[in-house]
Amino acid sequence: YTPYLGSCSSADASMWSFFTTVAGQDGEVDAEELQRCLTQSGITETYSPFSLETCRIMIAMLDKDYTGKMGFSEFKELWAAINAWKHNFLTVDQDRSGSVEHHELSQAIATMGYRLSPQTLNAIVKRYSKNGRIFFDDYVACCVKLRALTEFFRRRDHLQQGCVNFMYEDFLQGTMTI
Amino acid sequence: YTPYLGSCSSADASMWSFFTTVAGQDGEVDAEELQRCLTQSGITETYSPFSLETCRIMIAMLDKDYTGKMGFSEFKELWAAINAWKHNFLTVDQDRSGSVEHHELSQAIATMGYRLSPQTLNAIVKRYSKNGRIFFDDYVACCVKLRALTEFFRRRDHLQQGCVNFMYEDFLQGTMTI
Ligand SMILES: [Ca+2]
Ligand SMILES: [Ca+2]
Ligand SMILES: [Ca+2]
């Protein structure tokens, strides 16, 4: 039973009370609170619960001020994003195997507008799959990372030439925390 | 009881038999096999077992050909590295709290020869800590990532100016798989 999904009416008020419960005393949601609430909410349904790593990646994606925590607006944004990933995963898993395989990821990434070489795609599949199968948790981690790293790169690619001059410290701050 | 630690004599033969057991039929060790064997070997002792994510990061560190798996020589190298991290962790955890705190990480990173701004250090602590404490598993993930990303950067910093011009695809392949 997931009260905050699929319904837009009066969702904001109940979302707020949900958020305050999850956030606890400090009024912000950290990675462990997020993992607990995702597991309890049943949002992953038959999929296995999200790893702490995926929760951290999702928070890092929204966490512009590097606090490692989410306020209410980020939390809402994340909730919507996870639902979008769920629908996306069902679409991408064309043979209904319950996981995304190499050719399915290749298509999905192309559909999202990325152009990656076969070598890069192979490396990504190796990194996020278990015996060639990418499950929901790792699929989300992979897609969120791909998007966050691409955004990080593009923000510095002022001339949009696909080429960026990075200082070491800037490179490290972006890539260590995503 | 950890038969492969602390003894160098005849270690290679028993290491080989250990490796073949862990690797199974394909003769290579993937992230899940590594996680199982690290848990069973007791190498983390009182620390909680390694997450799959940390195992993947450690394999990525040694995995020059992006297969996502380790042969015998990489496995030996990794085993030595983990032991080194264990000793390092004990040294870094100066107040014996069982975890590495902000000021301890700051010192450790400086000792390893990295120069990071307070802002970057804060962001890293937020990313790898739980309530301000970095435990062994996350400490290893953090240090291995820091080293791998720095090496990735340095290999392209031909003039050693702390500044690298990245093509998008190269940037992505390095950062998505570390
Ligand atoms: Ca909180
Ligand atoms: Ca499939
Ligand atoms: Ca400590």
Side-chain angles (χ1 to χ4, degrees):
Chain A
Y1 174 55
T2 53
Y4 308 105
L5 310 177
S7 137
C8 281
S9 58
S10 86
D12 224 57
S14 49
M15 192 67 172
W16 170 253
S17 92
F18 182 48
F19 170 77
T20 52
T21 310
V22 172
Q25 278 207 322
D26 65 351
E28 292 204 290
V29 172
D30 63 25
E32 286 174 295
E33 288 166 341
L34 178 62
Q35 187 187 31
R36 262 198 308 277
C37 106
L38 288 177
T39 305
Q40 285 166 9
S41 75
I43 196 171
T44 59
E45 290 175 15
T46 55
Y47 308 126
S48 48
F50 276 44
S51 68
L52 191 60
E53 173 64 15
T54 303
C55 292
R56 284 169 164 175
I57 290 172
M58 292 190 297
I59 289 181
M61 170 186 71
L62 299 168
D63 184 24
K64 309 298 180 205
D65 56 354
Y66 297 115
T67 61
K69 299 179 176 189
M70 286 185 298
F72 183 50
S73 67
E74 289 93 345
F75 186 74
K76 272 198 301 186
E77 204 180 327
L78 179 67
W79 209 252
I82 293 174
N83 276 300
W85 288 123
K86 262 181 74 170
H87 289 291
N88 177 260
F89 187 82
L90 291 170
T91 314
V92 170
D93 178 21
Q94 291 182 326
D95 64 0
R96 310 261 158 169
S97 65
S99 56
V100 166
E101 284 74 36
H102 188 289
H103 65 285
E104 292 171 337
L105 186 69
S106 171
Q107 275 201 317
I109 281 179
T111 304
M112 290 179 218
Y114 301 100
R115 298 187 174 273
L116 305 182
S117 69
Q119 201 201 355
T120 302
L121 192 74
N122 281 339
I124 290 175
V125 171
K126 293 274 161 54
R127 176 67 165 73
Y128 295 92
S129 66
K130 293 166 184 164
N131 294 316
R133 302 175 67 188
I134 303 173
F135 295 95
F136 184 53
D137 175 34
D138 287 318
Y139 178 75
V140 172
C142 173
C143 292
V144 169
K145 257 182 111 154
L146 181 59
R147 189 165 74 179
L149 287 166
T150 301
E151 273 176 19
F152 175 70
F153 189 92
R154 280 201 189 133
R155 274 200 300 278
R156 282 148 185 85
D157 187 13
H158 304 295
L159 301 173
Q160 305 205 20
Q161 297 188 312
C163 185
V164 169
N165 212 15
F166 279 103
M167 301 294 293
Y168 170 66
E169 175 104 20
D170 182 42
F171 168 81
L172 208 61
Q173 189 170 322
T175 56
M176 277 295 285
T177 52
I178 283 170
Chain B
Y1 174 56
T2 53
Y4 308 107
L5 310 178
S7 137
C8 280
S9 58
S10 84
D12 224 55
S14 49
M15 193 67 170
W16 170 252
S17 91
F18 182 50
F19 171 76
T20 53
T21 310
V22 172
Q25 278 205 324
D26 67 350
E28 292 205 292
V29 172
D30 63 25
E32 286 174 295
E33 289 166 343
L34 178 62
Q35 188 187 30
R36 262 199 308 276
C37 106
L38 288 177
T39 305
Q40 285 166 9
S41 75
I43 196 171
T44 58
E45 289 175 17
T46 55
Y47 307 128
S48 48
F50 276 42
S51 68
L52 191 60
E53 173 65 15
T54 302
C55 292
R56 284 168 164 176
I57 290 172
M58 292 190 296
I59 289 181
M61 170 186 72
L62 299 168
D63 183 25
K64 309 297 178 205
D65 56 353
Y66 295 117
T67 62
K69 298 177 175 188
M70 287 185 298
F72 182 52
S73 67
E74 289 93 347
F75 186 74
K76 271 198 301 187
E77 202 178 329
L78 179 67
W79 209 252
I82 293 175
N83 276 302
W85 288 122
K86 263 181 73 170
H87 289 292
N88 177 261
F89 186 82
L90 290 171
T91 313
V92 170
D93 177 21
Q94 290 183 326
D95 63 1
R96 308 263 158 168
S97 66
S99 55
V100 167
E101 283 75 37
H102 187 289
H103 65 286
E104 292 171 338
L105 186 70
S106 171
Q107 275 202 317
I109 282 180
T111 305
M112 291 179 218
Y114 301 100
R115 297 188 173 274
L116 305 182
S117 69
Q119 201 201 356
T120 301
L121 191 74
N122 281 339
I124 290 175
V125 171
K126 293 275 160 55
R127 176 66 166 74
Y128 295 92
S129 66
K130 293 167 183 165
N131 294 316
R133 302 176 67 187
I134 304 173
F135 294 95
F136 184 53
D137 175 36
D138 286 318
Y139 178 74
V140 172
C142 173
C143 291
V144 169
K145 257 183 111 153
L146 181 59
R147 190 165 71 179
L149 287 167
T150 300
E151 274 177 18
F152 175 69
F153 189 93
R154 279 199 190 136
R155 276 198 301 277
R156 281 147 186 84
D157 186 13
H158 304 295
L159 301 173
Q160 305 204 22
Q161 297 188 312
C163 185
V164 169
N165 211 13
F166 279 104
M167 302 294 293
Y168 170 65
E169 176 103 19
D170 182 43
F171 169 80
L172 209 60
Q173 188 170 324
T175 55
M176 277 295 286
T177 53
I178 283 168

